[in-house]
Amino acid sequence: MSVVPDITLNDDNTIPQLGFGVFQIAPEDTVEAVSEALRIGYRHIDTAEMYGNEKEVGEAIRASGLDRGDVFVTSKLNNGFHEPDDAREAFDTTLSELGFDYVDLFLIHWPLPTLYGGDFVSTWKTLEEFQRDGRARSIGVSNFQIEHLERLASETDTVPAVNQIEVHPYLTNDAVREYGREHGIATEAWSPIAQGGVLDDPTITQIAENVGKTPAQVVLRWHLGRGDIVFPKSVTPSRIKENFELFDFELGQEDMDEITALDRGEDGRTGPNPDTFAYVPDQR
Ligand SMILES: NC(=O)c1ccc[n+]([C@@H]2O[C@H](COP(=O)([O-])OP(=O)(O)OC[C@H]3O[C@@H](n4cnc5c(N)ncnc54)[C@H](OP(=O)(O)O)[C@@H]3O)[C@@H](O)[C@H]2O)c1
């Protein structure tokens, strides 16, 4: 049995709370990084059409010798494919790139409220089709703000299983997390260590020293203590291992509160603001 706890989603599927993210891992480095993660014990991989490495993620999982059912795989719809027919074609491509006949979780990567006439509702209804036909076991969204989630709630039948949003000590994103908690939407925290940007914060380094762990382990443990799902990215074997060693300690309430108090609100955001982000990559 894995040391990583499972979180039960609103559709009764389960997801390992700790996974491995592959954003910004070059395709030629992906097989090695994912293979290393699987060797260490990660059983949840977070990729996206936009990352350009779905093929290599599938390759590494097959090469591991693990059963497909033992690894939770997430991918995401790229920004150029929100219109239903485009989404259907893009999802077919995702499955053929991965070399699997289903994904465990498929997400709308960004809401793009300023594109497509602001219509992410028809996109969501297309993901509902993928879930109905069994090719996406769970469906969810990413970078959705409360107003976007409210629109889905009033215009569609399925509550997203997850909302994957930027969360770390400098952007606690608690209003969106709280909305999710109240409505049965699990929060996945992306850039959980702010791509390294929070690791030399004096509050965090002090807590790390006190508990005898590294700053990255302290921050990842903080996320787990808040109940969020995380998937730190690294191409460095020692860090891939370090980021998995989170289950032999816990943070006291005072440490948890001190880290939460580092929140800088919008000033702490390192990625794009979902209300205005409108990037469409070159079509593949
Ligand atoms: N839905 C979205 O819009 C969205 C956006 C961004 C990210 N994500 C997902 O979230 C995952 C994680 O976010 P992220 O990749 O942006 O950033 P992250 O996991 O917060 O940080 C990754 C960076 O930190 C370094 N690092 C990793 N572990 C470390 C450690 N123990 N000590 C020191 N440095 C360490 C890595 O360096 P090395 O690799 O050189 O070791 C890399 O530069 C992504 O891979 C992706 O799956 C989703």
Side-chain angles (χ1 to χ4, degrees):
M1 218 182 96
S2 171
V3 291
V4 178
D6 277 333
I7 301 268
T8 301
L9 302 173
N10 64 17
D11 57 11
D12 286 337
N13 291 328
T14 58
I15 181 171
Q17 193 182 6
L18 174 67
F20 184 70
V22 298
F23 176 43
Q24 292 175 327
I25 303 187
E28 60 272 23
D29 299 329
T30 301
V31 172
E32 199 179 321
V34 172
S35 300
E36 183 63 19
L38 294 172
R39 247 195 311 279
I40 285 166
Y42 292 82
R43 293 292 181 265
H44 163 187
I45 310 293
D46 184 88
T47 185
E49 291 172 1
M50 201 188 287
Y51 305 165
N53 53 20
E54 290 171 306
K55 186 163 172 277
E56 292 75 14
V57 166
E59 214 174 299
I61 292 170
R62 272 185 299 282
S64 71
L66 291 164
D67 287 343
R68 168 68 187 89
D70 289 339
V71 186
F72 190 101
V73 179
T74 300
S75 195
K76 316 183 190 89
L77 181 72
N78 210 338
N79 290 353
F81 305 122
H82 272 214
E83 288 179 6
D85 279 343
D86 295 337
R88 291 182 189 110
E89 200 179 318
F91 185 58
D92 288 346
T93 310
T94 274
L95 292 179
S96 77
E97 287 284 298
L98 285 165
F100 296 144
D101 52 13
Y102 73 93
V103 287
D104 295 278
L105 176 63
F106 196 63
L107 310 181
I108 300 179
H109 205 148
W110 289 89
L112 307 176
T114 64
L115 299 181
Y116 304 106
D119 175 22
F120 45 75
V121 173
S122 62
T123 316
W124 180 244
K125 289 181 175 167
T126 312
L127 265 65
E128 290 179 322
E129 287 173 22
F130 305 156
Q131 186 174 37
R132 269 197 302 274
D133 70 24
R135 293 183 304 152
R137 298 263 165 102
S138 295
I139 53 173
V141 295
S142 178
N143 300 300
F144 272 46
Q145 306 278 53
I146 291 171
E147 74 211 64
H148 307 139
L149 296 168
E150 280 178 337
R151 254 188 82 193
L152 293 188
S154 66
E155 296 179 45
T156 73
D157 297 329
T158 312
V159 179
V162 310
N163 186 19
Q164 184 177 129
I165 53 174
E166 181 177 350
V167 184
H168 46 70
Y170 291 163
L171 177 69
T172 57
N173 227 334
D174 282 331
V176 183
R177 290 178 66 256
E178 182 58 21
Y179 180 94
R181 206 187 55 74
E182 284 166 5
H183 294 84
I185 304 169
T187 295
E188 297 192 321
W190 65 250
S191 288
I193 56 172
Q195 300 202 336
V198 294
L199 301 183
D200 52 11
D201 184 282
T203 299
I204 289 166
T205 54
Q206 184 60 57
I207 293 172
E209 204 181 306
N210 295 347
V211 300
K213 292 286 171 180
T214 68
Q217 289 170 325
V218 164
V219 174
L220 294 169
R221 188 66 240 185
W222 170 80
H223 285 284
L224 297 179
R226 280 157 56 91
D228 291 351
I229 298 158
V230 281
F231 22 79
K233 169 265 176 186
S234 178
V235 291
T236 314
S238 60
R239 290 174 171 173
I240 299 175
K241 184 163 181 287
E242 174 185 332
N243 296 345
F244 194 74
E245 290 172 347
L246 306 177
F247 301 99
D248 57 352
F249 78 112
E250 280 186 32
L251 296 174
Q253 195 55 48
E254 207 172 303
D255 290 342
M256 290 290 293
D257 292 345
E258 268 190 54
I259 298 173
T260 307
L262 297 173
D263 184 29
R264 298 174 179 176
E266 278 305 310
D267 290 345
R269 203 182 274 287
T270 63
N273 187 317
D275 289 322
T276 51
F277 190 57
Y279 167 70
V280 176
D282 289 342
Q283 313 277 303
R284 68 180 173 197

